[in-house]
Amino acid sequence: GIDWIVVVVTPESSFMRQIHDGNRVTFWLVLCTLAGSIATSVFISLKITKRISQLDKSAQALASGKWDAALDTDTRIAELNELATSFNQMKEQLRRTLDNLKVEVAERKHMEEALRESESLLAEAQRVGHFGHAEWMSNRDEVICSDEMLRILGLPPDNHAVPRSLFHSFVQAEDRQRLIDTDRKSMAERSYLDYEYRIRSTDNKIRWIHQHA
């Protein structure tokens, strides 16, 4: 019937020592982990920043016409490799487009020069042969006359668009209605025109016009 009570007395320093040791280990583990994370983040950031800087320099090189600038596609970061590959493909496509555009511009300039030369020869031939040409713009009811046609009518060469009513006013009254009817019939039937009529130019001279259309 004896009730024993055993009391063990342990100094606080001995009891808390293990807890403090565990806290210190945990602190240093957290600190090392944090430092490693920061170092890894800085390393990755530098790699990404370097690649972006290379991309920026390559873009500036392209803007200045240097097409030999290419990005390295062999890195450990797959996303940067894809970005570099896309940039290189875009660069090649842009280079081909510009090359084709240069060829088209050169061809167009050549065609424009040939057209100007042809127009100049046509104007000279009309001047020597005393024949001109005119185009009726039905949507504006105007007649676009060549330089020689304006000279035949006695009009100044500063305005090639002549109102159709003004053009008809040069036609002799006896021929005017026949000209109008013939033009209307040809437009309706889309047939070939070959007829003659008289005009009175601004110098009051009567001229015969043989018209093909």
Side-chain angles (χ1 to χ4, degrees), residues 21-184:
D21 291 342
N23 289 339
R24 281 194 296 269
V25 171
T26 302
F27 171 78
W28 286 110
L29 286 176
V30 171
L31 185 61
C32 292
T33 302
L34 180 62
S37 300
I38 293 174
T40 303
S41 300
V42 171
F43 176 76
I44 295 176
S45 298
L46 290 176
K47 294 287 290 185
I48 295 176
T49 303
K50 180 180 179 182
R51 297 293 291 173
I52 294 177
S53 177
Q54 292 175 352
L55 179 62
D56 179 64
K57 291 180 180 179
S58 298
Q60 292 179 2
L62 288 181
S64 61
K66 298 179 181 179
W67 296 98
D68 55 346
L71 291 178
D72 184 17
T73 58
D74 186 17
T75 64
R76 296 181 179 180
I77 304 177
E79 290 77 6
L80 292 180
N81 291 338
E82 293 178 0
L83 179 61
T85 301
S86 299
F87 179 84
N88 291 335
Q89 291 175 351
M90 180 197 67
K91 180 198 68 173
E92 290 300 322
Q93 183 177 2
L94 181 60
R95 182 181 61 81
R96 288 193 298 267
T97 301
L98 289 179
D99 290 342
N100 294 335
L101 184 60
K102 289 179 181 179
V103 173
E104 292 180 2
V105 170
E107 292 178 350
R108 178 164 296 184
K109 286 184 177 179
H110 178 71
M111 293 175 61
E112 290 177 351
E113 291 175 359
L115 179 60
R116 284 194 295 268
E117 183 178 357
S118 177
E119 290 176 345
S120 177
L121 292 175
L122 177 61
E124 181 64 18
Q126 290 183 356
R127 186 187 66 81
V128 174
H130 297 290
F131 66 89
H133 72 272
E135 181 180 0
W136 176 27
M137 308 297 292
S138 58
N139 59 333
R140 301 198 303 264
D141 205 27
E142 292 179 340
V143 179
I144 308 301
C145 299
S146 65
D147 291 342
E148 186 60 25
M149 192 66 196
L150 292 175
R151 280 193 289 268
I152 293 174
L153 297 175
L155 295 175
D158 55 350
N159 186 10
H160 292 79
V162 178
R164 189 161 177 254
S165 58
L166 176 60
F167 184 85
H168 284 165
S169 68
F170 289 100
V171 182
Q172 286 288 89
E174 299 84 355
D175 301 337
R176 188 176 303 145
Q177 190 59 46
R178 181 173 59 86
L179 171 64
I180 295 174
D181 294 341
T182 303
D183 286 344
R184 288 176 178 174

